[in-house]
Amino acid sequence: MTNLSKYFQLNILLLFMALIVFSCKEQSIPKIIKSDSSQHPKLILTKKGVEEIRANLGTVPIFDKTLKAVKEEIDAEIALGIDTPIPKDYSGGYTHVRHKRNMVVLQKAGVLYQILDDEKYAKYVKDMLMQYEAMYKTLPLHPKTRSYARGKLFWQCLNDSNWLVYVSQAYDCIYDYLSEEERNQLETNLFRPFADHISINSPQFYQRVHNHSTWGNAAVGMIGLVMDDQELIDRALYGIKDLKLDAKEKDDDGGFLNKDGKAGFLANIEEPFSPDGYYNEGPYYQRYAMYPFLIFAEGLHNVKPELKIFEYKDSVLLKSINALLNLSDADGEFFPLNDGQKGMSYYTSALVTAVDISYHFGTQAPGLLSIATEQGSVLLDDSGLAVALGIKNKKAVPFEKKSINLSDGSKGKQGGVAILRNEDIELVFKYASQGSSHGHYDKLSYSLYEDGDEVLQDYGLSRFVNIEQKGGGNYLKENKTWAKQTIAHNTVTQNETSHFNGKYEIGSQHHSVLNYFSSDNEVVQVASAIERNAYSGTELLRTMAVIKDENLEKPYVLDIMKVISDKVNKYDFPYYFFGQVIQTNFEYKTPKTLSALGDKNGYQHLFVEGRANAVSGNSKLTWLNNRNFYTLTSITNGNDELFFTRIGANDPEFNLRRDPALMLRRDNSQNTLFVSTIESHGSYSPVTESAVNSKSSIVELKVVLDTDMYTAIEITLANNKKTLFITANLLSSQKHSVKINGKDYLWTGNYYFK
Amino acid sequence: MTNLSKYFQLNILLLFMALIVFSCKEQSIPKIIKSDSSQHPKLILTKKGVEEIRANLGTVPIFDKTLKAVKEEIDAEIALGIDTPIPKDYSGGYTHVRHKRNMVVLQKAGVLYQILDDEKYAKYVKDMLMQYEAMYKTLPLHPKTRSYARGKLFWQCLNDSNWLVYVSQAYDCIYDYLSEEERNQLETNLFRPFADHISINSPQFYQRVHNHSTWGNAAVGMIGLVMDDQELIDRALYGIKDLKLDAKEKDDDGGFLNKDGKAGFLANIEEPFSPDGYYNEGPYYQRYAMYPFLIFAEGLHNVKPELKIFEYKDSVLLKSINALLNLSDADGEFFPLNDGQKGMSYYTSALVTAVDISYHFGTQAPGLLSIATEQGSVLLDDSGLAVALGIKNKKAVPFEKKSINLSDGSKGKQGGVAILRNEDIELVFKYASQGSSHGHYDKLSYSLYEDGDEVLQDYGLSRFVNIEQKGGGNYLKENKTWAKQTIAHNTVTQNETSHFNGKYEIGSQHHSVLNYFSSDNEVVQVASAIERNAYSGTELLRTMAVIKDENLEKPYVLDIMKVISDKVNKYDFPYYFFGQVIQTNFEYKTPKTLSALGDKNGYQHLFVEGRANAVSGNSKLTWLNNRNFYTLTSITNGNDELFFTRIGANDPEFNLRRDPALMLRRDNSQNTLFVSTIESHGSYSPVTESAVNSKSSIVELKVVLDTDMYTAIEITLANNKKTLFITANLLSSQKHSVKINGKDYLWTGNYYFK
């Protein structure tokens, strides 16, 4: 109901906005006037920007609405009084939550002071900063010892850095309100030592290419920009001068501390982003990292325009925002690749920042305005004003998400992520590099969505972020024993062992390789990629297509996984569906007692709920979820086994979700082919109690050719119509000719479909 | 997204409707003019009603919208052509679905003919009826044999009766369009033998007090009204003349065929409805039964006004609609008491009928108009027009659901159902009679909702209605082995045996008894009831309160179950929560392999996922579901055991949902007291990643007095505030005085709370 209500309010708002706009003449966006960087504010708000904002107050609905909400929020905080408790707790505990809240409150109060010109906000910021100053000058390391880099206000330097990124903005806003003496006091006892602690005193945190370091760099750089301290600015941009770390040391998450010696903000832009803007840890961490990237970039743009930070590396910061928005489902929720918490979406405040900055400092793409409208708020700065004016002036158009291929690697040469989209079906195919310390061992895995709902899931992470009762809100041990393991993903596991043996050192040296990506044809979207290193001596080639056949109600997925190995192996191939088993064409037995499928590599977490011999031909499973029917059809042989599994074995603290899967096992096989289709079909309504189109329309899948060069699958539909999909397994020429059952097929391109 | 889209459309619609209404003058509803019952149509549509409808066309938005939708639907059906296949399938199969669809299409086409005066609809109805006539006259019994009363078009007489209820309306609409010869042909070869088959030839179906029979009665009566056949009308109202059935025979569901010899429509009104309008099988079946009750009543009102059918039994038909609407959660979904499929709601077409008829033939309660607005459609008859005009004339006000106590039993003397409501919390407490053959063995059970979402669930039925692949869409064997059993419910099971030993013959002789119900005090709503027969020699007294304490964020539940027995027993007390375990204050062990908790009475379906010794004092469980936190606090002793269970053992066809519970077991106890609170608190957002108020505010529950007369519970809150709840266990005077720990408490009423 809550979501519906929000949606309702938003709709009404949109409608009223539309009505208002109808009655107003279009106004042009005022040109942004360049600020003088010797004046404050200059970092995010600018002197001239503030003047424009004040001039527009009361006439730009979404800006005014955001301002009103922030004012109410901060007035309530001011009424509660200031609390800067002695640090004590992990994430979720009181002191952690309070200091985290304080940093946001300070930043917002600073902005209110500038926009509303009301000294009560400046005084509040000053008073709280002085309390921090009094505490910080004698503050020891945080008492909790779990982090590889302990902070002072928080248990980890990461949170301290978050704090400084926000608080430097607040300081900038009240800079002129303070006396020189007060500024000296704050800079000497609080800001400078604070910046030193998270950098010079914590090089294992600061001197890296890692999202943690990006926060550190931004924190040091932003306070440096406000204080006009070139040493801090340089330290932010280029890392700690003349410092080299041991390249083999690792952090808490198992990531290398500093493999190749690179450090600083520019290196942090250079390394993790591909030329397409894909961030190597995946969208969940990109979302987290975007705020320091963009807010520091905005500050650099304002104070050091000569750096042309938004044009750096072919404008990769702006491209990354587009990539990130494309890495979300129909509801705006990010695909939980690698360590990603489900439910995080472009409604998060970091994405308000991203969208507004992308619009203002980019090409004013009107699709961004529709997302800003959905977000319902804007930044209270120049970029937010630009967005608010764009919306007011009816420039918004829908943000269209299409099939897209995003390369991974700083040069775009380390695999990537392909998203295939057709109507409501979205398939996310991962053939990327390891994804830094947050990567999972899931080469060539995929997940499937329909209209924003998961059909075949990626488990995501095993963590309850900021829920203190669950391991302090930090990563749970099941993240390593389950979530990162290959068997937790919709890809192939060989001999019950994860890719790269689950070893980060090995995984981080490799990446999959694109075979081809094709999205030109509206009815057939295909991505195909090869993995040669996950298992020594085994090559995996997976080709995934989303096909719209007019004989079927909705687009369906065709999945061809070709395995070539130098020895005989056992292959496990799970499908993590959700919901209720409706029908199978194979006979399964359910055991009286449930035991784990294995004892390591994630298998120890899977209970076996059912077991069957596969059908010689096609094995089929139909299930019901979210009031839709789904059918998996898979080519199997009589020696294959099928397992119904459920996550939850060896989970002594109920950290895992009890989610089901069907797993196909093919033992004693060397070279082999896994071929399947997944259809979404029909619907069930508990209100009308009618089941519509509840049966699969695919009668048979058949391999009609499988060579090194080509794999051809014949798909027979319920109306007896046959279609043929041929994929080219080797990237050679674009012209192909092949004889199948006496008939010649000639085509140009990577695949044939008719 | 689909729901959101619908909601969005609805909102826009509402807004535009509001705008339209603003610009129109209020119009009075035209007086309904009495029809002459010798003319057709006369049954549901009336000659004069049709004139009024035609006069208002194009000016009443929701009516026009419904008409437009129906016209589009039927025009599409006409374009597809007529198909009346030879009957062959169970529910969900083609012939079943087609005939079911045909009956609706016929009814709607008939209405369109009357309203639009377009002969194409009359011809379509006539052509299809003639095809049915040609087939029916030689049609044998339906080939599927599973039903206790086989139909001809369908596998059970129930569906044949559905068909005739709809088709008699269609026949009425085109009566005058047909020649006398055509009418004779239809009546002789189709309608009369059809009515005879479901009545005289199927007395085990027809001659009962049961929802099946209600459909049969309505079918026979409605075609009788159209044909002006007094014999059929009398058979409908009073049952088959001079027929008595064996009182001990049972139907497929285990219900008695005809325990006391009553039959006919009036008996079917008399028996199952309590004076408050509660239907003894529960809301899911009431919803199903309402359509024939109301549509036949409407027909009787129109053709035989002298019967005053809507005033029958103190207007119980109209009262029952109010009861049914109150038996729905915040989303309009009916509480799944007894055999109820979750998700069924007042958006079902039967409730459009109910709401419109209730409005038109009742007191024009303006709250009904808001539900009709949500439903988004109206009946295309006089009552629908009245509702549409009411909405148009801005008479709608919200339908307010408050705490309500609904008595059960034809005289209101067989227990009941109490619903306690406070803010977003709804508690449904069942102390009713057996509920006919669809009843569950769950005396004094309850379920808990927050804003339309289940907090502690009632499992509902085990059936996938109309999903052919799941047992033909019929009741699954797990409905008896699991869903009906006591352990499947939030109540106490003694010695691993269901109430009444799970025997319908015994259960149907008994009912629980109200101790008291109190909803006058806005901050404390209480229901208390006694069960003396579920277990021989054991008396259960359960008192449930929903309490709004200003120190807590939301209202909480206080649950006191007092057990008095003549011997030592084992008591099991489950809590069917949903979601993720966040924290416990007891240490539990999770087994390596999962086994069933028992081997019968539902226990064979529960896997044990964890086991603990309870805390001496209070045992606590906090969980997270739907982004809310919940905490159960239960008074336990060191000998109590706690089990984490999950449904799904011995479920060879995956018919059951894998839902969890915490179960409290108290062995070797005679008289005992189960006391617990359930708090909903705080929230978690995956977008802001903040956990708000994630901990329980109740520090301690303590029994400070427990006598035959009174039970007193002291509740200590986190701020050390103590409150005291004293409940009167015996209904005696309203004046009470009791000494606890040396202090005297005096009060008037059933409970004390301070």
Side-chain angles (χ1 to χ4, degrees), chain B residues 150 160 164 225 343 412 693:
Chain B
R150 284 153 74 190
D160 278 40
L164 191 55
L225 289 173
N693 193 21

Side-chain angles (χ1 to χ4, degrees), chain A residues 370-432:
Chain A
S370 72
I371 294 182
T373 306
E374 284 183 66
Q375 289 170 334
S377 69
V378 291
L379 290 181
L380 294 179
D381 67 4
D382 309 1
S383 65
L385 181 65
V387 166
L389 287 168
I391 293 170
K392 179 184 167 185
N393 295 327
K394 282 181 55 186
K395 292 189 178 170
V397 301
F399 185 86
E400 211 180 335
K401 290 187 226 169
K402 293 188 170 169
S403 292
I404 189 170
N405 187 42
L406 299 166
S407 66
D408 189 12
S410 60
K411 304 271 185 291
K413 304 285 187 201
Q414 299 183 32
V417 170
I419 305 165
L420 304 179
R421 293 184 161 110
N422 195 328
E423 295 180 0
D424 285 344
I425 300 293
E426 288 180 309
L427 186 148
V428 187
F429 179 45
K430 185 182 171 214
Y431 64 98

Side-chain angles (χ1 to χ4, degrees), chain A residues 323-517:
Chain A
L324 184 52
L325 293 172
N326 266 290
L327 284 162
S328 69
D329 67 21
D331 298 332
E333 295 182 9
F334 299 122
F335 301 124
L337 301 174
N338 298 325
D339 286 341
Q341 174 161 271
K342 292 181 182 181
M344 179 55 74
S345 73
Y346 61 50
Y347 293 95
T348 188
S349 62
L351 267 285
V352 174
T353 305
V355 166
D356 291 4
I357 287 179
S358 176
Y359 181 80
H360 185 55
F361 298 105
T363 57
Q364 289 82 54
L368 294 169
L369 297 178
S370 72
I371 294 182
T373 306
E374 284 183 66
Q375 289 170 334
S377 69
V378 291
L379 290 181
L380 294 179
D381 67 4
D382 309 1
S383 65
L385 181 65
V387 166
L389 287 168
I391 293 170
K392 179 184 167 185
N393 295 327
K394 282 181 55 186
K395 292 189 178 170
V397 301
F399 185 86
E400 211 180 335
K401 290 187 226 169
K402 293 188 170 169
S403 292
I404 189 170
N405 187 42
L406 299 166
S407 66
D408 189 12
S410 60
K411 304 271 185 291
K413 304 285 187 201
Q414 299 183 32
V417 170
I419 305 165
L420 304 179
R421 293 184 161 110
N422 195 328
E423 295 180 0
D424 285 344
I425 300 293
E426 288 180 309
L427 186 148
V428 187
F429 179 45
K430 185 182 171 214
Y431 64 98
S433 65
Q434 181 61 30
S436 185
S437 63
H438 291 297
H440 287 193
Y441 302 98
D442 64 338
K443 293 295 159 191
L444 308 190
S445 81
Y446 78 110
S447 52
L448 184 65
Y449 292 76
E450 179 168 8
D451 197 18
D453 292 327
E454 293 172 303
V455 176
L456 295 175
Q457 73 162 325
D458 183 323
Y459 188 87
L461 46 59
S462 178
R463 178 183 180 185
F464 296 81
V465 183
N466 291 326
I467 299 183
E468 195 193 6
Q469 298 102 313
K470 294 297 255 188
N474 301 305
Y475 281 98
L476 299 165
K477 71 176 185 333
E478 288 77 12
N479 199 58
K480 277 186 186 163
T481 62
W482 168 253
K484 279 179 180 280
Q485 299 295 329
T486 306
I487 195 62
H489 299 83
N490 297 304
T491 186
V492 71
T493 297
Q494 179 178 300
N495 301 329
E496 301 195 27
T497 307
S498 284
H499 297 168
F500 310 110
N501 243 313
K503 290 203 160 57
Y504 176 70
E505 296 81 349
I506 306 173
S508 59
Q509 290 166 26
H510 300 289
H511 56 83
S512 307
V513 174
L514 184 67
N515 182 24
Y516 65 88
F517 175 81

